[in-house]
Each structure stands twice: as C-alpha cells, then as structure tokens.
Amino acid sequence: MNDISPNLFIDALLGYQKTAALKAALELDLFGTIADGNGAPEAIAARVNASPRGIRILCDYLTVQGFLEKNGGSYGLMPSTAAFLTRSSPAWMGSVAEFLAAPEMVTLWLDDPAGFVRNGGSVGLGSLAPDHPLWVTFATAMTPFMSPVASALVAEAAGWPAAPKRILDVAAGHGIFGISLAKTIPEAEVTALDWIPVLVVAQENAVAAGLAGRYRTLPGSAFEVDWGGGYDLVLLTNFLHHFDRETCIGLLRKAGASLEAEGRVLAVEFVPNDDRVSPPFPATFAFMMLGSTPKGDAYTAREFEEMGRAAGFANVTVVPVPPTAQSFVTFSRNP
C-alpha cells in the first residue's frame, strides 16, 4: 500500500506550471545568466531585472524539476540545460517553446480535451487549417529541434549509391532538411513546397546558407499543387503523421509519380513499437495528433510498410535516428 500515491495524478494536472516556469526562465535568460557565473538569487535578479524572491522560487522549482542544481544558496546548470537552454550553446533549443507553448497550442489542448477524444480527432481542422499562421511559428522556432535529424539525413544520404541532384521538399517549413542536403551536395537543387508565408522563412534560410541560386519555391497545398517530376528524392518530413492511412497512401503515390526510376521518398516520423506504448516519446506523439489534427496518428514500422506497398513501393525501411526520438522511413521501388 505504501506505493499507492496520488503524486502522478497531481503532477500531471500541474504540468502547465512546468510550461510556465520554462517560459519564464527562457524569457528572462535565466539559464544564460547562471552560465555566466551568476548563481546566487540576488545576482541573477539584478542581471535579469527581477525580484530576488521570484528568482529564488523559480530556481528552486527548476531544481526540483531537474533543470538546475543547488549548492548552498547558489544555483548551477545541469548538463542538458547547459547544452540546450543557453543561447551561447551551438545546440540551443529554447526557441522551440515559441511553437510548442504558443497560446494557440495551449488553447488547442486545454479548452476541450474531452471533445477531441470523443470526436476521435480535433474538432475542425485544428493545425491543418489552410495557411494556418501557426506553421510560420513552427518554421521560425523549430529549426534547432530538427537540426540534429537534418545532420543525420546528410550522413544517411552519403551512403546512397548516388547523391540526389533534384530534391522536392514537401511541407518544407523551415527548409532545414533540403538546405542541409544542398549544402553538402554541390550539384543539388531543391524545390520547397509550402504555404507562401512559410516559404518566406525557408527562402531566407536558404539565402543565409548561400543557396539562393539552387533553391526554388512552389507555393500552395501539397494536395492541390502539381509537384512536377524527375526528382531523385522527395522529402516528406514530419508530414505523414498529420493524416489517416488512406491519405498517406495517396501522398506516397503522388510522391512516387514525381520520382525518377531510381529515386526514393524519405519521411521523418515518430515511430512507436507495435505495442504503441514504447518508446515513450514516439508512443505519446499519437496523442499530440489526436488533439491537433482530424485523423493524424503515430504509425508503426509495420503500418508504414503496408502503406508503402499499397502506394507501389517494393522496399520500405525504417531506421531510428538516435539520440533523437525520430526515424527515417525510406520508400523505393527497388527491392
């Protein structure tokens, strides 16, 4: 009986307070201030123009949550905090909060959660509404989260028999996947497909990467625009999970029709095991799709293989991308 406790329940209900604490810390640059050697509450408060009492309570809370350590009356950074939540770190990921904790996202989840469960998906189109402004936020904020996966894609492509020269990046968002490939493949040309406001962000990133002459845009809906043909690689990064099985098959067929004979389609996805409760992040991702899309899901490797075969692909491989929670799902015609 000693193991029976309401702590898990209470902690889950108060999850919004964890979000609030991190948003406060990021806005105040709390972690960067501590990294600069200002570990005492009074020193932090003076640096960030905040109340010493407020800083003490926030730092104690973040210590309990595992982001800080406390020695006497002074605070220090845990290794992961130093790596991902200080602006001076090359792995800085704090901007992700602008998307994951955006007011639109919070409202989407907390206004009527029983409603999207009863409905089996978001009431209305959720984040899939045409030209939804949230995707501009995604494009500007989520690049640090996707950069490790994009770097892994470059390494993956280096092992292919031939480097892709013509690349179509569907729902390109920030464009980091196509841009990363083009930076390492001098002959590669990228076509990015997305809504116009989102493509502005991708185009800016391409120009900053020195790819202005090899980066073109294709504005509009992936379901309505003619993708063209002759591509060596079609990227469907973090896209298929927004839709049901039949829609995914249709997108894969459209991608296949856009490929050269030896071309391939590569998706980036959160892929749970067949039990659907492991690994933790991919397994819980299905709930994110339940609340934010009408019919999206997190698909298993077996389900991707079935969809690929239905779309005309003879070979489907699923390769995890550690240490991230994502996987590469590759579709090709050749066995």
Side-chain angles (χ1 to χ4, degrees):
M1 291 294 291
N2 291 335
D3 294 330
I4 298 177
S5 167
N7 289 348
L8 179 64
F9 167 61
I10 298 301
D11 184 63
L13 280 183
L14 294 177
Y16 62 89
Q17 293 186 359
K18 297 180 185 180
T19 304
L22 282 172
K23 288 186 70 174
L26 291 167
E27 182 175 334
L28 294 168
D29 194 23
L30 177 80
F31 302 124
T33 300
I34 295 174
D36 289 341
N38 300 286
E42 295 78 9
I44 299 170
R47 177 79 174 269
V48 304
N49 192 28
S51 155
R53 176 179 180 273
I55 291 297
R56 172 184 58 81
I57 292 173
L58 175 61
C59 287
D60 283 345
Y61 181 87
L62 290 170
T63 299
V64 173
Q65 300 301 329
F67 292 94
L68 299 177
E69 60 181 358
K70 187 175 184 180
N71 296 302
S74 188
Y75 301 92
L77 302 179
M78 297 299 286
S80 292
T81 307
F84 299 114
L85 297 179
T86 57
R87 295 179 185 274
S88 59
S89 170
W92 158 255
M93 203 174 284
S95 66
V96 170
E98 297 172 19
F99 176 72
L100 294 182
E104 300 96 326
M105 291 290 276
V106 174
T107 298
L108 193 65
W109 293 106
L110 295 184
D111 267 12
D112 184 19
F116 61 70
V117 174
R118 288 192 187 99
N119 195 53
S122 63
V123 179
L125 293 177
S127 62
L128 295 185
D131 227 350
H132 198 297
L134 193 60
W135 293 116
V136 177
T137 305
F138 175 88
T140 57
M142 292 294 284
T143 300
F145 184 71
M146 297 302 172
S147 291
V149 189
S151 296
L153 173 59
V154 170
E156 174 79 5
W160 296 346
K165 304 295 176 57
R166 295 195 65 217
I167 301 168
L168 174 64
D169 192 355
V170 178
H174 36 66
I176 189 67
F177 291 99
I179 289 170
S180 295
L181 287 170
K183 284 173 65 176
T184 58
I185 304 171
E187 305 88 355
E189 296 183 354
V190 179
T191 299
L193 191 164
D194 215 314
W195 302 109
I196 290 176
V198 179
L199 288 175
V200 170
V201 179
Q203 186 76 55
E204 290 173 350
N205 290 339
V207 170
L211 300 174
R214 294 190 284 132
Y215 200 87
R216 64 181 291 263
T217 58
L218 185 60
S221 164
F223 297 96
E224 299 171 0
V225 170
D226 182 353
W227 295 4
Y231 296 105
D232 303 307
L233 175 65
V234 174
L235 295 172
L236 297 173
T237 58
N238 295 294
F239 191 49
L240 294 176
H241 53 237
H242 292 93
F243 311 105
D244 62 12
R245 180 182 184 277
E246 291 307 314
T247 303
C248 290
I249 292 171
L251 284 166
L252 288 169
R253 284 180 178 145
K254 189 169 184 177
S258 300
L259 289 174
E260 289 282 4
E262 301 299 317
R264 68 189 74 202
V265 176
L266 186 139
V268 174
E269 290 290 336
F270 296 97
V271 182
N273 294 329
D274 285 338
D275 62 12
R276 293 195 173 278
V277 292
S278 63
F281 197 109
T284 57
F285 188 76
F287 188 73
M288 181 174 286
M289 292 298 97
L290 179 68
S292 60
T293 69
K295 297 181 179 179
D297 209 338
Y299 295 106
T300 66
R302 177 180 53 79
E303 288 171 322
F304 277 120
E305 291 165 3
E306 291 171 353
M307 288 188 279
R309 286 195 293 271
F313 292 98
N315 189 34
V316 181
T317 61
V318 179
V319 179
V321 186
T324 79
Q326 299 206 275
S327 296
F328 293 142
V329 186
T330 306
F331 305 85
S332 61
R333 296 191 184 95
N334 299 322

